[in-house]
Amino acid sequence: MRFALGLLAAVVLLAGCGGGSSRLSKKDYEQHLHQDATLIAKAATNASTADFNSPGQYERRVALAQHDMSVAAKDLDTIKPPADAEQDTKTIVVGVRYLAKALSRLHHAAATKSIAEAQKVSADIAASPEVKGVSTAIADLKRKGYDVGVFSGS
């Protein structure tokens, strides 16, 4: 009985704290977008400017880029955006997760010194519908009046 009452008290406390169930305000959502867009831009810069001819540096930069992409995707996936931004946010999460997985493949290419594999990953990214979906979602958020931070250069 005590356990049940303790569990009930914990549930009530979590519910009182919001428990993550309420939607973010537009302003709070935009802050997440800015923070995550900055991480994604940093990741893209790290990956795209790494020198494949310097394998150690390339591996480190791609690993860092993959980490930043994963962190951004996780954050966007755990928030509850305003209703009119929910589908766009889901689309962005899918695209960013795709990029994180692609960076994992790129990291493997660096570790095995496979230029052909690295080129294939780059081509896959360029042709990816998931990545194109991110651009479409960002454009849609902008049309809805959201300040998308560094995503605005997308």
Side-chain angles (χ1 to χ4, degrees), residues 1-15:
M1 178 71 162
R2 244 183 221 204
F3 175 75
L5 288 175
L7 185 60
L8 180 61
V11 169
V12 169
L13 282 174
L14 284 175

Side-chain angles (χ1 to χ4, degrees), residues 2-152:
R2 244 183 221 204
F3 175 75
L5 288 175
L7 185 60
L8 180 61
V11 169
V12 169
L13 282 174
L14 284 175
C17 293
S21 64
S22 62
R23 293 195 180 275
L24 292 174
S25 67
K26 181 178 179 179
K27 179 182 175 186
D28 289 342
Y29 175 68
E30 288 172 334
Q31 287 176 341
H32 278 273
L33 276 181
H34 290 199
Q35 171 187 328
D36 295 325
T38 300
L39 263 180
I40 291 164
K42 181 178 129 193
T45 299
N46 273 329
S48 65
T49 60
D51 182 5
F52 197 83
N53 294 318
S54 177
Q57 179 243 29
Y58 190 82
E59 277 186 77
R60 284 188 303 279
R61 291 186 70 178
V62 169
L64 179 60
Q66 180 188 9
H67 174 265
D68 288 346
M69 286 285 182
S70 295
V71 168
K74 183 177 181 180
D75 180 63
L76 287 172
D77 195 30
T78 58
I79 63 172
K80 188 146 183 155
D84 68 337
E86 189 166 6
Q87 189 55 51
D88 292 322
T89 303
K90 287 178 182 178
T91 300
I92 293 167
V93 169
V94 167
V96 175
R97 282 200 172 129
Y98 172 85
L99 287 169
K101 287 179 185 171
L103 287 168
S104 175
R105 289 174 47 214
L106 202 55
H107 185 263
H108 180 264
T112 59
K113 298 177 178 62
S114 174
I115 292 175
E117 185 180 349
Q119 290 171 334
K120 169 121 177 58
V121 172
S122 294
D124 289 350
I125 290 170
S128 163
E130 293 88 351
V131 173
K132 290 176 183 163
V134 171
S135 295
T136 302
I138 295 301
D140 192 44
L141 287 170
K142 287 166 59 174
R143 269 192 304 277
K144 293 173 184 173
Y146 286 91
D147 177 355
V148 296
V150 295
F151 272 141
S152 64

